[in-house]
Each structure stands twice: as C-alpha cells, then as structure tokens.
Amino acid sequence: FEAVSGFTTTGASILTAVEPLPKGILFWRSFMHWLGGMGVLALAIALLPGMGGRTLQLVKAESPGPVVSKLVPKSRQSSKILYTIYFGMTVIEILVLRLVGMPWYDSFVNSFAIAGTGGFSVRNLSIGAYGSPAIEIACTVFMLLFSVNFALYFLVLCGKVKQALRSDEMRFFLIVVVGSTVLIAIDILPMYAPGDAVRHAAFQVSTIISTTGFSSTDFNQWPEFSRFVLILL
C-alpha cells in the first residue's frame, strides 16, 4: 500500500504512527515520492527515444499542467532538462529547510515529499510537529514552486522571463492561490493572531492545491466556509 501510494504520489497511508519506524524505511518511503514525482516519467522518455512523437503523449498523460510541449526538439534532451531542474530545486529545498532549523534527515525526507507533491511525513503531526513558522513558510513556498509547470522554469533559465510571466496558466494559478488565502485568512481571523491566520491559510491552500497533503494545524476545526474552499482547491 505504502509503495503504490508513494510511486503514484497519492500520499495516502495506512500507518497510524510513523515516528517509531526505522529511519531507513521512512527515507525509502519518501524517496518513492521523489521518484514518482518526475523520475519515472523522465526515465521513460530517456529510455524510449525511438517512440518519436508518442513520447510527448507520455508527458501529456503524466504532467499535471494543461500546457505541455517539448522544451527542445529532442524528447530525450527535454527529459534531461526537466530532470535537472527537478533535481536542482530539490537540493535547494533541502538546504533551505536545514537553514530554517529542520534537521538534516528531516530536510531530505520532507523535501522528497514536497518535490513529488505527495506528502509522506516522518512526524505524526506532519509539518505542524516542528512548531516553526519559518519551516512552514519555507514549505509553503516550495509546495507552490513544485506545482508550477516546469516548462516555465526552462523559459526563465533561457532568459525569457517576460514570456513565462505571460502564461495564462501561471496567472490563473496565482490568482486562485492568493484569492483563496485571503478569503480563508479573513474567515479564520477570530481563531488566530493576524500573522498566524495568514500563515496557516497560505500553508493549507498551498498543500491542498499542490496535492501535497501536509498540515500545519487541525483545519478540521476551521469554519465551514474555509473547509469548503479547501475542498474546491
């Protein structure tokens, strides 16, 4: 169950308590998320270059975004570029999480889960177990970054920033994220201090819309309107 959930980045679990489990098992559990996030797709394209135009159909079938195209004429090269971006962003995330106070081991496993947008955690209370606003903010940012179409990052790396910013997909995504965060923050304001309300709202919006599935607080206690917005996301 955990293996299928990991490789498909579903993130569902039948384990009632993960903290007592060996670190090696938890590491592999999260690493499956990372492989499932892009590794399987990239590997398929790299190993099946002779499929011609059908490799693009693989990408369209597996990619979450509606806009899919080859980054360069050769599918194998496109795969390498996407994989490099994915790997590079994961490394950056590991370092950032360590800088904001997360232990090295936790930084690795949580980065794998966020990169694959799967959400396997090594703490029973998920990200909320760390009790750190800095860690929650860092996770929020990277959950959103890994939700963006990776073709846009390729455009940025090529110096085509304006073209990337003109993406209708990107604009719609940001509007939904910001709008939902504002609505939920206002709705839960009586429950938290203003800063905490915004932080929790942004975290839960990011984790739900990215399908990561982490949690920083028990949002089941939130008003019905906020929970309804999360369901829509």
Side-chain angles (χ1 to χ4, degrees):
F1 187 98
E2 300 295 312
V4 173
S5 181
F7 280 119
T8 59
T9 70
T10 304
S13 177
I14 56 174
L15 301 175
T16 55
V18 294
E19 291 180 20
L21 296 177
K23 286 189 174 182
I25 293 295
L26 295 178
F27 185 90
W28 172 242
R29 185 168 170 263
S30 296
F31 188 64
M32 286 188 294
H33 265 345
W34 191 80
L35 288 176
M38 182 171 288
V40 174
L41 171 62
L43 182 64
I45 296 175
L47 295 179
L48 303 173
M51 293 179 66
R54 283 176 290 179
T55 53
L56 185 58
Q57 300 306 315
L58 268 177
V59 181
K60 289 181 178 179
E62 294 292 333
S63 297
V67 180
V68 178
S69 61
K70 289 183 180 179
L71 305 182
V72 292
K74 293 185 177 181
S75 295
R76 175 180 286 186
Q77 193 64 27
S78 294
S79 172
K80 290 180 180 179
I81 292 171
L82 288 171
Y83 201 95
T84 301
I85 294 173
Y86 187 66
F87 180 81
M89 288 177 60
T90 304
V91 171
I92 293 172
E93 182 185 5
I94 291 171
L95 296 175
V96 169
L97 289 179
R98 181 67 188 96
L99 286 173
V100 295
M102 187 177 285
W104 275 116
Y105 173 79
D106 295 50
S107 297
F108 272 89
V109 291
N110 285 313
S111 292
F112 291 154
I114 291 174
T117 64
F120 274 162
S121 179
V122 293
R123 300 294 183 97
N124 294 333
L125 296 178
S126 191
I127 300 300
Y130 300 100
S132 169
I135 289 177
E136 292 175 17
I137 292 171
C139 289
T140 298
V141 171
F142 278 98
M143 284 188 291
L144 291 176
L145 289 176
F146 277 103
S147 302
V148 173
N149 192 323
F150 274 38
L152 298 180
Y153 293 137
F154 178 70
L155 292 176
V156 172
L157 292 175
C158 291
K160 301 177 181 179
V161 179
K162 291 184 178 179
Q163 184 177 342
L165 293 176
R166 286 198 299 267
S167 167
D168 291 336
E169 177 186 348
M170 179 67 170
R171 289 179 180 178
F172 179 75
F173 179 72
L174 291 178
I175 289 173
V176 170
V177 169
V178 173
S180 301
T181 299
V182 170
L183 290 174
I184 291 178
I186 294 173
D187 193 42
I188 65 174
L189 195 56
M191 302 175 62
Y192 304 97
D196 291 338
V198 173
R199 174 166 53 85
H200 286 308
F203 185 95
Q204 294 306 144
V205 167
S206 300
T207 191
I208 295 297
I209 202 168
S210 67
T211 73
T212 304
F214 279 147
S215 64
S216 62
T217 187
D218 185 7
F219 58 84
N220 199 42
Q221 304 300 319
W222 287 2
E224 188 173 334
F225 174 78
S226 294
R227 286 182 282 130
F228 180 72
V229 172
L230 291 179
I231 290 174
L232 292 180
L233 294 176

